[in-house]
Amino acid sequence: MGILSGYNLTNNGNNLFSYDFSTDSSQIYGGPLGCKEVEPSIWGMAAGDANGDGDIDTQDKLIWETEAGTLGYKPSDFNMNEQVDNLDKDNSFIENMYLSSFIPK
Ligand SMILES: [Ca+2]
Ligand SMILES: [Ca+2]
């Protein structure tokens, strides 16, 4: 699920910008409602938005149900191990269900 920076980026010179989204949920626009703590004190994008509409909901589960048991980097291969299986559903979709992106539509 897409994310935006929570703060303006700073020009480090020569139009080079750097930004670390992972240090705190406030680094991400929408805070903890639009991102996920992927490891203790490390924040990132939430997996589970198979149709890319910015919401993790039952529509994404329908895609998972269609692709379950198949191989490849499919939209519902949420952990990106080239297999669509229960790990994708249980560890990504169910865990993140009802999160929404804060990127304006
Ligand atoms: Ca979705
Ligand atoms: Ca997978």
Side-chain angles (χ1 to χ4, degrees), residues 12-53:
N12 294 333
N14 298 321
N15 291 323
L16 296 175
F17 296 84
S18 64
Y19 192 87
D20 190 347
F21 287 90
S22 69
T23 57
D24 191 88
S25 65
S26 68
Q27 290 289 97
I28 298 166
Y29 184 70
L33 298 177
C35 61
K36 176 170 178 70
E37 189 171 22
V38 294
E39 291 185 23
S41 301
I42 298 177
W43 295 80
M45 296 187 293
D49 186 14
N51 65 2
D53 69 352

Side-chain angles (χ1 to χ4, degrees), residues 47 56 61 88-98:
I56 300 172
K61 187 175 182 204
D88 298 299
K89 177 177 56 77
D90 297 341
N91 296 345
S92 296
F93 172 77
I94 290 174
E95 194 167 311
N96 298 329
M97 195 159 73
Y98 303 121

